[in-house]
Amino acid sequence: MISKLETLPNEILLDIFCYLSWNKMLISLWSLNERINFLICLIFSKDKHGIIFNQTDLSYKIFSEILLPLICKSSLLSSVVTQCLLSQSLIKTLSLLIHYQLDQLTLSLDERMIKFIRDPDDPSIIAHNKKKLITMFKQLIRQFFFPDKCQLICLRLDIADDDLPMNIHQCLILPSHSSTSSISDKFQYSCLTLRYLYIRIKYSCFLEHLIEHIPNIERLSVIFKRSINIESRSKSNMIISRKSNGNWFEKVPKLNYFTLKTILDNDIELDYLKWILNNLNHIEKLKVHLHFNRMDSFEDTMVKVHVVDASFIRQYCLPDIVTNIKSFHFYIVSQCQLLSNNIEKIINSFKIDQFFISRQLTNVTCYTDRIMSYQYISSSSIANIPPSVNGLIFSPNVFTWPNIQHVSINLHPSVYLLFERFDEMFPNSSHIKVYT
């Protein structure tokens, strides 16, 4: 009697599979039958990282001709692909896809990838190879915006962990001999198919370079990793007038919807925010998520002593020319001293301002956190306000509540109250850090 692999019990098969790399497992065993497929997916699901493209010796031919089609054809497999280790074969595959096939792409460069570039576990990845990988990755990013046959319509790009030695924010700088003043130059250095772009970045200069290459963009969403970072340039060159006239209309004339999320720490960043908004005063839809960190540290007297109301938003969070804006949404968090009896006055300020009246934005929500001295104000009647537990101090990312994955708190005797409600308050959190 001939024994077959399929006759082995599940427990033994799972033990065997654990000794195989993901690519060998798929090439050798996938599609034998539904039971084998189920066990392979079970292996991937047990590993919290899912399928990770991390075989540096995996050939481009095997990856592109066998593995990639196999994964793309199976919804079960594609759903467990979570990470891709930066490799020459992966970059070549992505380049091929964006040229001839993909119209949508999501690409994220995370902290683990930066760590791999800096201190690779594989000693074979010497300095020369690292430099080559970085160059190839920058070239890949350039292909999104300096295209030859790019078909991308929608791009989600997360390069917020743009740190040394990557310096991705420099990859869109045009050659010194080029100019985008002529139509032919714009076509040569622009992506004409891209309509929707969602980016998460670290440096403000990347946004300015980007605007030069996306003439047909219709919707642009920008999230800064933290604050509006201008460290890659001299601050002496960043003296920006709040009343500067916008000039991005000629570069992105079709842009209709702009969203921005960032933290503001000082007057320079506030000036830069105003400069961006003035440059985009031709758009019709605007959405801002802003976090003013310690308003008493700003030199601007109005910012230092003022709570966020209709007048504040008109002056600091909107372009000077607002006649083109038909839809405006905001969610603003500010760290300031706010008396509870000011809330009614703040809400009423929107009911007497013509801009907010004409756009039906008078039904705002305002909330105060007395422990942290935070003011939360939103154009939505249902504000995205973090819940509170008596005596506990939270340090969440205010932009991602309630989808927060990491929670930090200061140790307090009533911390057990948090643990009793933890699953309810943070259903998506996987880490909690307690400061003693």
Side-chain angles (χ1 to χ4, degrees):
M1 182 177 178
I2 299 176
S3 299
K4 296 183 178 180
L5 179 69
E6 297 96 311
T7 63
L8 294 174
N10 290 350
E11 292 78 10
I12 295 179
L13 287 175
L14 289 173
D15 285 340
I16 294 174
F17 293 173
C18 288
Y19 288 94
L20 300 176
S21 62
W22 70 268
N23 52 305
K24 291 179 179 178
M25 195 185 309
L26 294 183
I27 293 173
S28 304
L29 302 172
W30 186 258
S31 298
L32 285 179
N33 56 49
E34 292 186 2
R35 174 171 170 252
I36 296 296
N37 288 354
F38 171 79
L39 293 177
I40 291 176
C41 289
L42 190 61
I43 289 287
F44 290 140
S45 63
K46 283 184 177 180
D47 183 350
K48 63 180 181 179
H49 298 304
I51 295 178
I52 304 176
F53 297 154
N54 59 356
Q55 270 67 32
T56 55
D57 59 342
L58 183 61
S59 72
Y60 170 72
K61 183 175 181 180
I62 293 177
F63 181 79
S64 59
E65 294 183 3
I66 301 177
L67 288 168
L68 188 62
L70 188 150
I71 292 172
C72 292
K73 290 178 181 178
S74 171
S75 59
L76 289 175
L77 288 178
S78 59
S79 64
V80 291
V81 176
T82 58
Q83 299 174 53
C84 301
L85 192 66
L86 192 61
S87 64
Q88 295 182 33
S89 61
L90 171 65
I91 294 176
K92 289 174 66 177
T93 300
L94 285 176
S95 299
L96 184 66
L97 289 175
I98 65 172
H99 275 193
Y100 299 104
Q101 186 172 358
L102 290 181
D103 58 8
Q104 298 185 48
L105 176 65
T106 298
L107 182 62
S108 175
L109 181 70
D110 62 13
E111 293 178 356
R112 281 166 289 192
M113 183 56 65
I114 297 295
K115 185 177 184 298
F116 167 77
I117 293 295
R118 285 177 170 174
D119 305 300
D121 296 328
D122 187 350
S124 65
I125 304 178
I126 57 177
H128 173 73
N129 288 338
K130 286 199 298 182
K131 185 177 181 180
K132 186 175 182 179
L133 282 175
I134 293 172
T135 301
M136 290 184 67
F137 188 79
K138 288 183 178 181
Q139 290 174 348
L140 175 66
I141 299 297
R142 288 171 62 89
Q143 287 182 43
F144 300 147
F145 310 108
F146 289 29
D148 179 18
K149 299 177 182 178
C150 181
Q151 303 296 316
L152 286 178
I153 297 174
C154 177
L155 173 63
R156 298 178 183 272
L157 181 63
D158 185 348
I159 53 172
D161 293 302
D162 178 13
D163 209 342
L164 293 173
M166 296 298 289
N167 291 330
I168 301 173
H169 57 278
Q170 300 175 356
C171 71
L172 296 185
I173 300 176
L174 286 169
S176 58
H177 64 274
S178 67
S179 169
T180 56
S181 58
S182 67
I183 295 179
S184 60
D185 284 331
K186 286 186 177 182
F187 285 173
Q188 181 181 356
Y189 297 106
S190 299
C191 178
L192 303 180
T193 61
L194 199 60
R195 298 291 188 273
Y196 312 101
L197 177 60
Y198 308 85
I199 59 171
R200 185 168 175 263
I201 57 179
K202 180 177 181 179
Y203 294 105
S204 58
C205 61
F206 186 86
L207 174 61
E208 295 179 45
H209 297 153
L210 180 68
I211 292 295
E212 305 285 345
H213 309 292
I214 49 175
N216 292 324
I217 199 72
E218 297 174 8
R219 177 165 182 164
L220 175 60
S221 177
V222 180
I223 300 177
F224 282 93
K225 182 179 180 180
R226 191 185 179 278
S227 59
I228 299 178
N229 196 315
I230 60 174
E231 292 301 325
S232 61
R233 291 168 296 173
S234 170
K235 290 188 178 181
S236 62
N237 296 326
M238 292 301 302
I239 303 175
I240 302 169
S241 171
R242 289 190 179 127
K243 296 183 179 180
S244 61
N245 294 322
N247 62 359
W248 285 1
F249 172 73
E250 296 178 356
K251 300 175 182 179
V252 284
K254 297 182 180 180
L255 182 62
N256 180 55
Y257 193 175
F258 179 67
T259 68
L260 177 67
K261 295 183 181 181
T262 188
I263 297 174
L264 298 164
D265 288 325
N266 52 56
D267 295 83
I268 294 178
E269 294 173 359
L270 184 60
D271 285 343
Y272 192 85
L273 168 67
K274 189 70 175 183
W275 181 76
I276 292 177
L277 296 175
N278 278 336
N279 271 300
L280 295 174
N281 57 26
H282 64 284
I283 62 175
E284 295 183 355
K285 298 179 181 179
L286 174 63
K287 185 175 182 179
V288 294
H289 286 202
L290 306 175
H291 183 177
F292 288 88
N293 193 27
R294 292 193 56 84
M295 296 176 74
D296 58 355
S297 65
F298 283 74
E299 295 180 6
D300 190 307
T301 305
M302 287 293 292
V303 177
K304 183 178 297 187
V305 301
H306 212 294
V307 295
V308 178
D309 59 5
S311 176
F312 183 97
I313 293 175
R314 285 290 301 272
Q315 182 170 351
Y316 299 104
C317 309
L318 280 165
D320 293 327
I321 299 175
V322 295
T323 52
N324 294 318
I325 295 180
K326 298 178 180 178
S327 174
F328 175 58
H329 295 282
F330 60 87
Y331 174 52
I332 300 174
V333 181
S334 59
Q335 191 175 16
C336 61
Q337 296 296 328
L338 178 67
L339 299 177
S340 58
N341 57 5
N342 281 342
I343 292 181
E344 184 176 355
K345 183 179 179 180
I346 291 171
I347 294 176
N348 286 335
S349 69
F350 293 89
K351 297 178 180 179
I352 60 175
D353 188 291
Q354 187 58 41
F355 172 84
F356 294 98
I357 294 175
S358 63
R359 290 157 182 82
Q360 299 181 348
L361 291 175
T362 58
N363 190 23
V364 301
T365 300
C366 186
Y367 167 85
T368 60
D369 181 346
R370 295 184 179 181
I371 297 176
M372 292 290 288
S373 298
Y374 274 119
Q375 174 194 359
Y376 299 84
I377 188 166
S378 171
S379 57
S380 171
S381 58
I382 304 177
N384 192 24
I385 305 301
S388 60
V389 175
N390 185 37
L392 294 175
I393 300 176
F394 295 92
S395 301
N397 182 342
V398 296
F399 299 142
T400 58
W401 199 286
N403 300 314
I404 295 172
Q405 297 181 358
H406 310 282
V407 178
S408 300
I409 63 171
N410 290 343
L411 186 62
H412 189 275
S414 60
V415 69
Y416 72 93
L417 294 174
L418 170 66
F419 296 139
E420 287 181 346
R421 297 177 52 195
F422 193 82
D423 287 343
E424 170 193 348
M425 296 172 60
F426 305 98
N428 298 303
S429 182
S430 58
H431 296 81
I432 179 170
K433 181 183 292 185
V434 180
Y435 295 99
T436 59

